[in-house]
Protein backbone atom coordinates (compact mmCIF):
# COMPACT_ATOMS: atom_id res chain seq x y z
CA UNK A 1 0.00 0.00 0.00
CA UNK A 2 1.32 3.51 -0.83
CA UNK A 3 2.47 5.85 1.94
CA UNK A 4 -0.32 7.96 3.42
CA UNK A 5 -0.32 11.71 2.78
CA UNK A 6 0.49 12.35 6.46
CA UNK A 7 2.36 9.86 8.63
CA UNK A 8 2.98 10.88 12.26
CA UNK A 9 4.58 8.62 14.86
CA UNK A 10 5.47 9.63 18.40
CA UNK A 11 5.32 13.29 17.37
CA UNK A 12 6.45 15.47 20.27
CA UNK A 13 6.58 19.27 20.46
CA UNK A 14 8.20 20.99 23.46
CA UNK A 15 8.52 24.70 24.19
CA UNK A 16 11.61 25.46 26.27
CA UNK A 17 12.19 28.61 28.28
CA UNK A 18 14.56 29.32 31.16
CA UNK A 19 11.69 28.80 33.61
CA UNK A 20 9.95 25.68 32.27
CA UNK A 21 9.59 23.07 29.55
CA UNK A 22 6.05 22.79 28.24
CA UNK A 23 5.25 19.43 26.63
CA UNK A 24 2.56 20.72 24.26
CA UNK A 25 2.36 17.59 22.05
CA UNK A 26 3.33 14.36 23.72
CA UNK A 27 3.50 11.36 21.38
CA UNK A 28 0.88 11.76 18.66
CA UNK A 29 0.41 8.95 16.10
CA UNK A 30 -1.86 9.13 13.07
CA UNK A 31 -2.08 8.62 9.31
CA UNK A 32 -4.14 10.67 6.86
CA UNK A 33 -4.87 9.53 3.32
CA UNK A 34 -5.30 11.83 0.31
CA UNK A 35 -8.94 12.96 0.14
CA UNK A 36 -9.59 12.19 3.83
CA UNK A 37 -10.72 14.66 6.53
CA UNK A 38 -9.52 14.32 10.12
CA UNK A 39 -10.99 16.57 12.82
CA UNK A 40 -8.88 17.10 15.91
CA UNK A 41 -11.19 17.92 18.79
CA UNK A 42 -10.38 19.15 22.28
CA UNK A 43 -10.38 22.00 24.78
CA UNK A 44 -8.16 25.07 24.45
CA UNK A 45 -4.56 24.22 25.31
CA UNK A 46 -4.88 20.52 24.46
CA UNK A 47 -2.21 20.74 21.74
CA UNK A 48 -4.46 20.81 18.67
CA UNK A 49 -3.13 23.99 17.09
CA UNK A 50 0.48 23.17 17.99
CA UNK A 51 0.12 19.82 16.19
CA UNK A 52 -1.23 21.60 13.13
CA UNK A 53 1.51 24.24 13.16
CA UNK A 54 4.15 21.51 13.48
CA UNK A 55 3.05 20.26 10.04
CA UNK A 56 4.03 23.63 8.52
CA UNK A 57 6.83 24.26 11.01
CA UNK A 58 5.13 27.47 12.14
CA UNK A 59 5.82 27.12 15.88
CA UNK A 60 8.35 29.73 17.13
CA UNK A 61 11.74 28.25 16.07
CA UNK A 62 13.88 29.64 18.91
CA UNK A 63 11.97 27.88 21.68
CA UNK A 64 10.49 24.85 19.88
CA UNK A 65 11.89 21.32 19.92
CA UNK A 66 10.22 18.70 17.72
CA UNK A 67 10.98 14.98 17.75
CA UNK A 68 9.47 11.80 16.35
CA UNK A 69 8.39 11.10 12.78
CA UNK A 70 6.30 13.51 10.73
CA UNK A 71 6.12 12.88 6.99
CA UNK A 72 3.84 14.86 4.65
CA UNK A 73 3.65 13.76 1.02
CA UNK A 74 6.77 11.64 1.63
CA UNK A 75 8.81 14.63 2.94
CA UNK A 76 10.49 14.50 6.35
CA UNK A 77 9.05 17.65 7.97
CA UNK A 78 11.03 17.32 11.22
CA UNK A 79 14.51 17.06 9.70
CA UNK A 80 14.11 19.22 6.57
CA UNK A 81 16.28 22.37 6.19
CA UNK A 82 14.28 25.60 6.47
CA UNK A 83 14.92 26.62 2.82
CA UNK A 84 13.34 23.36 1.60
CA UNK A 85 10.47 23.72 4.06
CA UNK A 86 9.83 27.25 2.89
CA UNK A 87 9.42 26.00 -0.69
CA UNK A 88 6.84 23.43 0.43
CA UNK A 89 4.66 25.83 2.42
CA UNK A 90 1.65 26.66 0.30
CA UNK A 91 2.46 24.10 -2.39
CA UNK A 92 2.43 20.87 -0.38
CA UNK A 93 0.64 22.10 2.71
CA UNK A 94 -1.33 25.29 3.37
CA UNK A 95 -3.23 26.63 6.34
CA UNK A 96 -6.42 28.59 7.00
CA UNK A 97 -6.30 30.54 10.25
CA UNK A 98 -9.02 31.36 12.74
CA UNK A 99 -8.94 35.14 12.31
CA UNK A 100 -8.36 36.20 8.68
CA UNK A 101 -7.68 39.85 9.65
CA UNK A 102 -4.41 38.76 11.26
CA UNK A 103 -3.39 36.78 8.16
CA UNK A 104 -4.46 39.27 5.47
CA UNK A 105 -2.41 42.44 4.93
CA UNK A 106 -4.69 45.46 5.53
CA UNK A 107 -2.83 47.75 3.07
CA UNK A 108 -3.20 45.58 -0.06
CA UNK A 109 -6.35 44.59 -1.93
CA UNK A 110 -7.37 40.97 -1.65
CA UNK A 111 -6.79 40.55 -5.41
CA UNK A 112 -3.19 41.78 -5.09
CA UNK A 113 -2.56 39.47 -2.14
CA UNK A 114 -3.85 36.36 -3.89
CA UNK A 115 -2.10 37.30 -7.17
CA UNK A 116 1.20 37.85 -5.35
CA UNK A 117 1.00 34.35 -3.84
CA UNK A 118 0.32 32.87 -7.29
CA UNK A 119 3.19 34.86 -8.89
CA UNK A 120 5.67 33.86 -6.19
CA UNK A 121 4.78 30.21 -6.53
CA UNK A 122 4.23 29.77 -10.27
CA UNK A 123 6.24 32.68 -11.74
CA UNK A 124 3.38 33.73 -14.07
CA UNK A 125 2.80 37.26 -15.46
CA UNK A 126 0.90 39.87 -13.43
CA UNK A 127 -2.06 39.60 -15.82
CA UNK A 128 -2.18 35.79 -15.55
CA UNK A 129 -1.86 35.99 -11.73
CA UNK A 130 -4.82 38.42 -11.56
CA UNK A 131 -6.93 36.08 -13.73
CA UNK A 132 -6.01 33.19 -11.43
CA UNK A 133 -6.92 35.32 -8.38
CA UNK A 134 -10.33 35.98 -9.95
CA UNK A 135 -10.83 32.27 -10.66
CA UNK A 136 -9.92 31.46 -7.05
CA UNK A 137 -12.42 33.97 -5.64
CA UNK A 138 -15.06 32.43 -7.92
CA UNK A 139 -14.04 28.95 -6.76
CA UNK A 140 -14.72 29.91 -3.13
CA UNK A 141 -18.05 31.43 -4.22
CA UNK A 142 -17.34 35.09 -3.45
CA UNK A 143 -20.26 37.01 -5.02
CA UNK A 144 -19.30 39.70 -7.59
CA UNK A 145 -15.76 38.31 -7.51
CA UNK A 146 -14.40 40.70 -10.19
CA UNK A 147 -15.41 43.70 -8.06
CA UNK A 148 -14.10 42.16 -4.83
CA UNK A 149 -10.62 41.75 -6.34
CA UNK A 150 -10.06 45.47 -5.69
CA UNK A 151 -11.50 45.47 -2.16
CA UNK A 152 -9.34 45.85 0.94
CA UNK A 153 -9.80 43.27 3.73
CA UNK A 154 -11.63 45.74 6.00
CA UNK A 155 -14.23 46.29 3.27
CA UNK A 156 -15.32 42.63 3.39
CA UNK A 157 -17.58 40.84 5.89
CA UNK A 158 -16.11 38.17 8.18
CA UNK A 159 -17.47 35.40 5.95
CA UNK A 160 -15.98 36.95 2.77
CA UNK A 161 -12.61 37.48 4.50
CA UNK A 162 -12.59 33.81 5.47
CA UNK A 163 -13.44 32.81 1.88
CA UNK A 164 -10.55 35.03 0.72
CA UNK A 165 -8.23 33.22 3.15
CA UNK A 166 -9.39 29.89 1.72
CA UNK A 167 -8.72 31.19 -1.82
CA UNK A 168 -5.18 32.20 -0.79
CA UNK A 169 -4.59 28.83 0.85
CA UNK A 170 -5.71 27.06 -2.35
CA UNK A 171 -3.70 29.33 -4.66
CA UNK A 172 -0.74 26.93 -4.89
CA UNK A 173 -2.93 23.81 -5.13
CA UNK A 174 -1.77 22.17 -1.86
CA UNK A 175 -2.16 18.44 -1.30
CA UNK A 176 -2.87 19.00 2.40
CA UNK A 177 -5.05 21.79 3.79
CA UNK A 178 -4.89 22.61 7.50
CA UNK A 179 -7.74 24.58 9.07
CA UNK A 180 -7.27 25.99 12.57
CA UNK A 181 -10.75 26.73 13.94
CA UNK A 182 -11.56 28.63 10.71
CA UNK A 183 -15.21 29.26 11.54
CA UNK A 184 -14.98 30.16 15.25
CA UNK A 185 -15.11 33.92 14.63
CA UNK A 186 -18.15 33.67 12.32
CA UNK A 187 -21.83 33.70 13.19
CA UNK A 188 -23.74 30.41 12.96
CA UNK A 189 -25.25 30.85 9.46
CA UNK A 190 -21.98 31.93 7.86
CA UNK A 191 -20.15 29.20 9.78
CA UNK A 192 -22.17 26.43 8.17
CA UNK A 193 -21.73 28.01 4.69
CA UNK A 194 -17.95 28.10 5.11
CA UNK A 195 -17.88 24.53 6.47
CA UNK A 196 -19.89 23.16 3.55
CA UNK A 197 -17.68 25.10 1.11
CA UNK A 198 -14.52 23.64 2.67
CA UNK A 199 -15.91 20.11 2.50
CA UNK A 200 -16.99 20.61 -1.13
CA UNK A 201 -13.58 22.01 -2.15
CA UNK A 202 -11.75 19.25 -0.31
CA UNK A 203 -13.73 16.61 -2.23
CA UNK A 204 -13.49 18.37 -5.61
CA UNK A 205 -9.74 18.97 -5.32
CA UNK A 206 -8.97 15.63 -3.60
CA UNK A 207 -6.94 17.25 -0.81
CA UNK A 208 -6.30 15.87 2.64
CA UNK A 209 -7.93 18.12 5.25
CA UNK A 210 -7.05 18.39 8.93
CA UNK A 211 -9.50 20.53 10.80
CA UNK A 212 -8.98 21.68 14.37
CA UNK A 213 -12.00 22.61 16.46
CA UNK A 214 -13.37 22.55 19.99
CA UNK A 215 -16.89 22.22 18.56
CA UNK A 216 -18.25 18.69 18.12
CA UNK A 217 -21.08 19.97 15.91
CA UNK A 218 -18.51 21.42 13.49
CA UNK A 219 -16.49 18.18 13.58
CA UNK A 220 -19.54 16.07 12.74
CA UNK A 221 -20.27 18.25 9.66
CA UNK A 222 -16.88 17.86 7.98
CA UNK A 223 -14.96 14.88 9.39
CA UNK A 224 -14.39 11.37 8.11
CA UNK A 225 -12.48 10.62 11.32
CA UNK A 226 -12.35 12.31 14.71
CA UNK A 227 -9.32 12.39 17.01
CA UNK A 228 -9.93 13.67 20.54
CA UNK A 229 -6.89 15.35 22.06
CA UNK A 230 -6.23 15.84 25.76
CA UNK A 231 -3.06 17.17 27.40
CA UNK A 232 -1.02 16.79 24.20
CA UNK A 233 -2.12 13.24 23.35
CA UNK A 234 -4.83 11.60 21.28
CA UNK A 235 -7.13 9.79 23.74
CA UNK A 236 -9.56 8.42 21.15
CA UNK A 237 -9.55 8.14 17.36
CA UNK A 238 -12.50 6.73 15.40
CA UNK A 239 -14.66 7.09 12.29
CA UNK A 240 -17.13 9.95 12.76
CA UNK A 241 -20.33 7.87 12.80
CA UNK A 242 -18.91 5.28 15.24
CA UNK A 243 -17.65 8.07 17.46
CA UNK A 244 -20.95 9.96 17.52
CA UNK A 245 -22.91 6.73 18.13
CA UNK A 246 -20.74 5.79 21.11
CA UNK A 247 -17.62 7.66 22.24
CA UNK A 248 -15.59 5.36 24.52
CA UNK A 249 -12.99 7.44 26.38
CA UNK A 250 -14.48 9.14 29.48
CA UNK A 251 -13.19 12.54 28.28
CA UNK A 252 -14.75 12.03 24.82
CA UNK A 253 -18.01 11.01 26.52
CA UNK A 254 -17.81 14.21 28.59
CA UNK A 255 -17.32 16.33 25.45
CA UNK A 256 -20.33 14.72 23.77
CA UNK A 257 -22.43 15.19 26.94
CA UNK A 258 -21.53 18.89 27.00
CA UNK A 259 -22.61 19.46 23.37
CA UNK A 260 -26.02 19.93 21.78
CA UNK A 261 -26.43 17.35 18.99
CA UNK A 262 -29.16 15.34 17.26
CA UNK A 263 -29.34 12.52 19.84
CA UNK A 264 -29.15 14.82 22.89
CA UNK A 265 -32.72 16.09 22.46
CA UNK A 266 -34.49 16.21 25.83
CA UNK A 267 -31.31 15.38 27.78
CA UNK A 268 -29.62 17.87 30.11
CA UNK A 269 -26.14 19.05 29.11
CA UNK A 270 -23.37 17.92 31.44
CA UNK A 271 -20.01 19.46 32.34
CA UNK A 272 -16.57 17.92 32.84
CA UNK A 273 -15.43 18.79 36.37
CA UNK A 274 -11.97 20.27 37.02
CA UNK A 275 -9.37 21.55 34.58
CA UNK A 276 -6.69 19.95 32.35
CA UNK A 277 -3.25 19.36 33.94
CA UNK A 278 -0.41 21.86 33.46
CA UNK A 279 1.67 20.86 30.45
CA UNK A 280 4.91 21.62 32.31
CA UNK A 281 3.90 19.24 35.12
CA UNK A 282 2.17 16.30 33.46
CA UNK A 283 1.30 13.43 35.81
CA UNK A 284 3.01 10.03 35.46
CA UNK A 285 -0.27 8.17 34.94
CA UNK A 286 -3.40 8.95 32.95
CA UNK A 287 -3.57 12.73 32.44
CA UNK A 288 -7.37 12.65 32.73
CA UNK A 289 -7.44 10.75 36.07
CA UNK A 290 -8.11 13.81 38.27
CA UNK A 291 -11.33 14.49 36.31
CA UNK A 292 -12.40 10.92 35.56
CA UNK A 293 -15.29 9.34 37.44
CA UNK A 294 -14.01 5.87 36.49
CA UNK A 295 -10.44 6.42 37.79
CA UNK A 296 -8.89 3.59 39.80
CA UNK A 297 -5.53 3.36 41.60
CA UNK A 298 -3.77 1.66 38.66
CA UNK A 299 -4.70 4.61 36.39
CA UNK A 300 -2.12 6.68 38.28
CA UNK A 301 0.81 4.30 37.71
CA UNK A 302 1.63 4.83 34.01
CA UNK A 303 0.18 6.64 30.99
CA UNK A 304 -2.26 4.21 29.32
CA UNK A 305 -1.27 3.30 25.74
CA UNK A 306 -3.60 3.99 22.81
CA UNK A 307 -5.29 0.57 22.57
CA UNK A 308 -6.96 -0.68 19.35
CA UNK A 309 -10.69 -1.44 19.76
CA UNK A 310 -11.93 -3.46 16.78
CA UNK A 311 -10.47 -2.54 13.41
CA UNK A 312 -11.12 1.20 13.21
CA UNK A 313 -10.85 2.78 16.64
CA UNK A 314 -8.22 3.30 19.31
CA UNK A 315 -8.76 4.51 22.88
CA UNK A 316 -6.27 5.52 25.58
CA UNK A 317 -7.93 3.95 28.65
CA UNK A 318 -7.19 0.77 30.61
CA UNK A 319 -10.68 0.31 32.07
CA UNK A 320 -13.01 -0.01 29.10
CA UNK A 321 -15.86 -0.23 28.45
CA UNK A 322 -17.62 2.66 30.16
CA UNK A 323 -21.31 2.91 29.34
CA UNK A 324 -22.20 6.26 27.80
CA UNK A 325 -23.72 8.34 30.64
CA UNK A 326 -27.52 8.77 30.31
FE1 LIG B 1 -10.26 7.23 33.53
FE2 LIG B 1 -8.45 5.42 34.24
FE3 LIG B 1 -9.43 5.40 31.78
FE4 LIG B 1 -7.79 7.36 32.57
S1 LIG B 1 -7.26 5.19 32.33
S2 LIG B 1 -9.64 7.61 31.39
S3 LIG B 1 -8.41 7.62 34.68
S4 LIG B 1 -10.56 5.02 33.66
Amino acid sequence: MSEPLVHARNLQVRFRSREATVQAVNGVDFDLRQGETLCILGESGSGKSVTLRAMMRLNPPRITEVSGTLRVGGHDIVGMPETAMSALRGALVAMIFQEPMTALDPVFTVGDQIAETVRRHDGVSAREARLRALALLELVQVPSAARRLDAYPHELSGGLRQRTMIAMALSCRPRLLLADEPTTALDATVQIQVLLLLKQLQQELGMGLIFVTHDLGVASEVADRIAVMYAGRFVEEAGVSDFLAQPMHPYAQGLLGATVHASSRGQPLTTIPGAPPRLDRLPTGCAFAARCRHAQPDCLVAMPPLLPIGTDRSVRCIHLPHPVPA
Side-chain angles (χ1 to χ4, degrees):
M1 194 185 263
S2 61
E3 181 169 336
L5 177 60
V6 182
H7 175 73
R9 289 293 178 273
N10 194 26
L11 177 65
Q12 309 221 9
V13 182
R14 285 173 292 280
F15 298 127
R16 272 196 206 284
S17 70
R18 228 176 295 165
E19 293 76 35
T21 298
V22 172
Q23 188 73 44
V25 177
N26 199 0
V28 160
D29 299 343
F30 71 95
D31 288 337
L32 180 86
R33 306 218 153 264
Q34 195 82 43
E36 201 176 26
T37 299
L38 173 73
C39 257
I40 305 179
L41 191 69
E43 290 168 282
S44 297
S46 58
K48 311 181 300 290
S49 297
V50 176
T51 302
L52 219 60
R53 285 163 185 266
M55 282 179 232
M56 281 188 81
R57 292 235 307 250
L58 291 179
N59 290 306
R62 281 196 309 131
I63 59 164
T64 306
E65 286 177 12
V66 182
S67 60
T69 301
L70 177 58
R71 297 179 66 78
V72 178
H75 299 275
D76 169 17
I77 299 296
V78 176
M80 183 181 295
E82 180 51 32
T83 43
M85 186 67 224
S86 175
L88 291 179
R89 285 193 197 101
L92 175 66
V93 49
M95 185 166 336
I96 307 164
F97 297 92
Q98 183 180 127
E99 179 37 79
M101 270 315 260
T102 58
L104 293 171
D105 192 326
V107 301
F108 292 100
T109 65
V110 296
D112 283 349
Q113 292 184 60
I114 300 172
E116 176 60 20
T117 314
V118 172
R119 267 165 67 92
R120 229 183 310 135
H121 180 256
D122 287 353
V124 296
S125 69
R127 187 169 177 282
E128 171 65 20
R130 188 170 166 87
L131 286 174
R132 294 256 294 269
L134 175 60
L136 282 160
L137 285 186
E138 287 172 344
L139 180 70
V140 298
Q141 298 165 14
V142 167
S144 311
R147 188 162 53 83
R148 307 282 190 194
L149 273 178
D150 296 318
Y152 289 89
H154 73 272
E155 296 176 305
L156 302 179
S157 66
L160 287 183
R161 282 201 290 265
Q162 197 53 284
R163 284 170 193 262
T164 303
M165 270 299 301
I166 297 171
M168 280 183 75
L170 297 180
S171 61
C172 304
R173 299 177 291 277
R175 291 176 63 193
L176 173 64
L177 188 60
L178 308 174
D180 190 359
E181 309 220 24
T183 58
T184 303
L186 305 175
D187 67 44
T189 318
V190 182
Q191 190 175 76
I192 196 72
Q193 290 169 355
V194 171
L195 285 178
L196 294 176
L197 171 68
L198 263 178
K199 186 72 190 163
Q200 179 193 333
L201 290 170
Q202 183 254 336
Q203 286 168 349
E204 282 176 13
L205 304 176
M207 297 175 295
L209 175 62
I210 303 181
F211 198 101
V212 153
T213 181
H214 62 270
D215 184 332
L216 188 56
V218 167
S220 63
E221 289 293 338
V222 294
D224 297 314
R225 302 186 60 73
I226 287 184
V228 178
M229 200 160 187
Y230 187 79
R233 297 181 175 101
F234 284 4
V235 294
E236 179 160 356
E237 196 198 340
V240 67
S241 48
D242 289 347
F243 179 83
L244 291 175
Q246 187 176 26
M248 297 186 103
H249 191 279
Y251 175 63
Q253 292 180 346
L255 282 184
L256 198 67
T259 309
V260 177
H261 54 92
S263 55
S264 68
R265 184 184 287 265
Q267 291 179 11
L269 294 180
T270 55
T271 55
I272 306 171
R278 287 180 54 157
L279 296 176
D280 58 343
R281 291 183 204 163
L282 283 169
T284 316
C286 174
F288 189 60
R291 306 172 78 185
C292 180
R293 63 199 189 105
H294 304 287
Q296 297 178 35
D298 57 347
C299 301
L300 307 177
V301 176
M303 171 49 61
L306 204 52
L307 298 167
I309 308 285
T311 53
D312 198 33
R313 184 189 291 236
S314 45
V315 184
R316 193 181 290 279
C317 177
I318 53 175
H319 288 297
L320 293 175
H322 307 299
V324 178

mmCIF file of all heavy atoms in Angstrom, residues 249-250 286 288-289 292 294-296 299 304 316-319 322, ligand 1:
data_model
loop_
_atom_site.group_PDB
_atom_site.id
_atom_site.type_symbol
_atom_site.label_atom_id
_atom_site.label_comp_id
_atom_site.label_asym_id
_atom_site.label_seq_id
_atom_site.Cartn_x
_atom_site.Cartn_y
_atom_site.Cartn_z
ATOM 1 N N HIS A 249 -13.846 6.894 25.320
ATOM 2 C CA HIS A 249 -12.995 7.444 26.376
ATOM 3 C C HIS A 249 -13.850 8.356 27.273
ATOM 4 O O HIS A 249 -14.675 9.116 26.766
ATOM 5 C CB HIS A 249 -11.836 8.243 25.752
ATOM 6 C CG HIS A 249 -10.787 8.598 26.756
ATOM 7 N ND1 HIS A 249 -10.918 9.667 27.614
ATOM 8 C CD2 HIS A 249 -9.596 8.010 27.054
ATOM 9 C CE1 HIS A 249 -9.839 9.733 28.389
ATOM 10 N NE2 HIS A 249 -9.024 8.737 28.071
ATOM 11 N N PRO A 250 -13.658 8.302 28.603
ATOM 12 C CA PRO A 250 -14.477 9.142 29.482
ATOM 13 C C PRO A 250 -14.413 10.636 29.128
ATOM 14 O O PRO A 250 -15.410 11.344 29.254
ATOM 15 C CB PRO A 250 -13.880 8.879 30.875
ATOM 16 C CG PRO A 250 -13.337 7.496 30.782
ATOM 17 C CD PRO A 250 -12.813 7.365 29.371
ATOM 18 N N CYS A 286 -2.431 8.394 33.891
ATOM 19 C CA CYS A 286 -3.403 8.952 32.952
ATOM 20 C C CYS A 286 -3.621 10.440 33.251
ATOM 21 O O CYS A 286 -3.960 10.815 34.383
ATOM 22 C CB CYS A 286 -4.725 8.194 33.080
ATOM 23 S SG CYS A 286 -6.026 8.912 32.083
ATOM 24 N N PHE A 288 -5.970 12.288 32.487
ATOM 25 C CA PHE A 288 -7.372 12.649 32.734
ATOM 26 C C PHE A 288 -7.849 12.171 34.108
ATOM 27 O O PHE A 288 -8.980 12.463 34.519
ATOM 28 C CB PHE A 288 -8.251 12.047 31.619
ATOM 29 C CG PHE A 288 -9.672 12.526 31.646
ATOM 30 C CD1 PHE A 288 -9.987 13.870 31.507
ATOM 31 C CD2 PHE A 288 -10.715 11.624 31.824
ATOM 32 C CE1 PHE A 288 -11.300 14.311 31.548
ATOM 33 C CE2 PHE A 288 -12.037 12.061 31.865
ATOM 34 C CZ PHE A 288 -12.332 13.410 31.726
ATOM 35 N N ALA A 289 -6.991 11.448 34.851
ATOM 36 C CA ALA A 289 -7.441 10.755 36.069
ATOM 37 C C ALA A 289 -8.104 11.690 37.077
ATOM 38 O O ALA A 289 -9.113 11.337 37.689
ATOM 39 C CB ALA A 289 -6.262 10.024 36.705
ATOM 40 N N CYS A 292 -11.708 12.093 36.102
ATOM 41 C CA CYS A 292 -12.397 10.920 35.555
ATOM 42 C C CYS A 292 -13.188 10.208 36.647
ATOM 43 O O CYS A 292 -12.628 9.814 37.664
ATOM 44 C CB CYS A 292 -11.378 9.959 34.945
ATOM 45 S SG CYS A 292 -12.158 8.489 34.247
ATOM 46 N N HIS A 294 -14.315 7.294 36.496
ATOM 47 C CA HIS A 294 -14.012 5.865 36.488
ATOM 48 C C HIS A 294 -12.592 5.578 36.983
ATOM 49 O O HIS A 294 -12.141 4.434 36.934
ATOM 50 C CB HIS A 294 -14.135 5.306 35.065
ATOM 51 C CG HIS A 294 -15.476 5.555 34.439
ATOM 52 N ND1 HIS A 294 -16.618 4.883 34.810
ATOM 53 C CD2 HIS A 294 -15.863 6.445 33.484
ATOM 54 C CE1 HIS A 294 -17.645 5.325 34.107
ATOM 55 N NE2 HIS A 294 -17.216 6.270 33.289
ATOM 56 N N ALA A 295 -11.868 6.600 37.437
ATOM 57 C CA ALA A 295 -10.443 6.421 37.788
ATOM 58 C C ALA A 295 -10.277 5.391 38.913
ATOM 59 O O ALA A 295 -11.078 5.339 39.849
ATOM 60 C CB ALA A 295 -9.845 7.757 38.200
ATOM 61 N N GLN A 296 -9.219 4.590 38.782
ATOM 62 C CA GLN A 296 -8.886 3.595 39.795
ATOM 63 C C GLN A 296 -7.397 3.739 40.106
ATOM 64 O O GLN A 296 -6.663 4.379 39.334
ATOM 65 C CB GLN A 296 -9.213 2.190 39.270
ATOM 66 C CG GLN A 296 -10.717 2.038 38.996
ATOM 67 C CD GLN A 296 -11.098 0.692 38.444
ATOM 68 O OE1 GLN A 296 -10.512 -0.318 38.809
ATOM 69 N NE2 GLN A 296 -12.084 0.683 37.558
ATOM 70 N N CYS A 299 -4.736 3.559 37.430
ATOM 71 C CA CYS A 299 -4.705 4.606 36.393
ATOM 72 C C CYS A 299 -3.577 5.605 36.659
ATOM 73 O O CYS A 299 -3.157 6.325 35.742
ATOM 74 C CB CYS A 299 -6.024 5.373 36.359
ATOM 75 S SG CYS A 299 -7.458 4.347 36.019
ATOM 76 N N PRO A 304 -1.711 5.314 30.123
ATOM 77 C CA PRO A 304 -2.263 4.214 29.323
ATOM 78 C C PRO A 304 -1.856 4.343 27.854
ATOM 79 O O PRO A 304 -1.831 5.457 27.323
ATOM 80 C CB PRO A 304 -3.781 4.385 29.476
ATOM 81 C CG PRO A 304 -3.972 5.277 30.647
ATOM 82 C CD PRO A 304 -2.745 6.133 30.743
ATOM 83 N N ARG A 316 -7.335 5.500 24.577
ATOM 84 C CA ARG A 316 -6.266 5.519 25.582
ATOM 85 C C ARG A 316 -6.899 5.394 26.978
ATOM 86 O O ARG A 316 -7.058 6.378 27.695
ATOM 87 C CB ARG A 316 -5.478 6.828 25.468
ATOM 88 C CG ARG A 316 -4.162 6.834 26.228
ATOM 89 C CD ARG A 316 -3.481 8.192 26.075
ATOM 90 N NE ARG A 316 -2.975 8.452 24.756
ATOM 91 C CZ ARG A 316 -1.830 7.997 24.261
ATOM 92 N NH1 ARG A 316 -1.056 7.243 25.017
ATOM 93 N NH2 ARG A 316 -1.459 8.305 23.040
ATOM 94 N N CYS A 317 -7.319 4.179 27.327
ATOM 95 C CA CYS A 317 -7.928 3.949 28.646
ATOM 96 C C CYS A 317 -7.767 2.470 28.974
ATOM 97 O O CYS A 317 -7.991 1.610 28.112
ATOM 98 C CB CYS A 317 -9.407 4.342 28.619
ATOM 99 S SG CYS A 317 -10.235 4.012 30.186
ATOM 100 N N ILE A 318 -7.424 2.177 30.243
ATOM 101 C CA ILE A 318 -7.190 0.772 30.613
ATOM 102 C C ILE A 318 -8.402 0.150 31.282
ATOM 103 O O ILE A 318 -8.353 -1.003 31.698
ATOM 104 C CB ILE A 318 -5.950 0.636 31.537
ATOM 105 C CG1 ILE A 318 -6.065 1.574 32.748
ATOM 106 C CG2 ILE A 318 -4.665 0.843 30.768
ATOM 107 C CD1 ILE A 318 -4.939 1.403 33.758
ATOM 108 N N HIS A 319 -9.506 0.878 31.385
ATOM 109 C CA HIS A 319 -10.681 0.314 32.066
ATOM 110 C C HIS A 319 -11.922 0.401 31.207
ATOM 111 O O HIS A 319 -12.965 0.872 31.648
ATOM 112 C CB HIS A 319 -10.902 1.016 33.405
ATOM 113 C CG HIS A 319 -9.879 0.654 34.430
ATOM 114 N ND1 HIS A 319 -9.723 -0.623 34.918
ATOM 115 C CD2 HIS A 319 -8.903 1.384 35.017
ATOM 116 C CE1 HIS A 319 -8.738 -0.668 35.784
ATOM 117 N NE2 HIS A 319 -8.192 0.556 35.864
ATOM 118 N N HIS A 322 -16.795 1.842 29.266
ATOM 119 C CA HIS A 322 -17.617 2.660 30.161
ATOM 120 C C HIS A 322 -18.910 2.934 29.430
ATOM 121 O O HIS A 322 -18.877 3.447 28.315
ATOM 122 C CB HIS A 322 -16.931 4.000 30.450
ATOM 123 C CG HIS A 322 -15.529 3.844 30.938
ATOM 124 N ND1 HIS A 322 -15.221 3.175 32.092
ATOM 125 C CD2 HIS A 322 -14.358 4.257 30.408
ATOM 126 C CE1 HIS A 322 -13.910 3.210 32.263
ATOM 127 N NE2 HIS A 322 -13.358 3.840 31.254
HETATM 128 FE FE1 LIG B 1 -10.265 7.230 33.525
HETATM 129 FE FE2 LIG B 1 -8.446 5.415 34.237
HETATM 130 FE FE3 LIG B 1 -9.428 5.396 31.777
HETATM 131 FE FE4 LIG B 1 -7.792 7.362 32.572
HETATM 132 S S1 LIG B 1 -7.260 5.185 32.331
HETATM 133 S S2 LIG B 1 -9.639 7.606 31.390
HETATM 134 S S3 LIG B 1 -8.407 7.624 34.685
HETATM 135 S S4 LIG B 1 -10.558 5.015 33.663
#
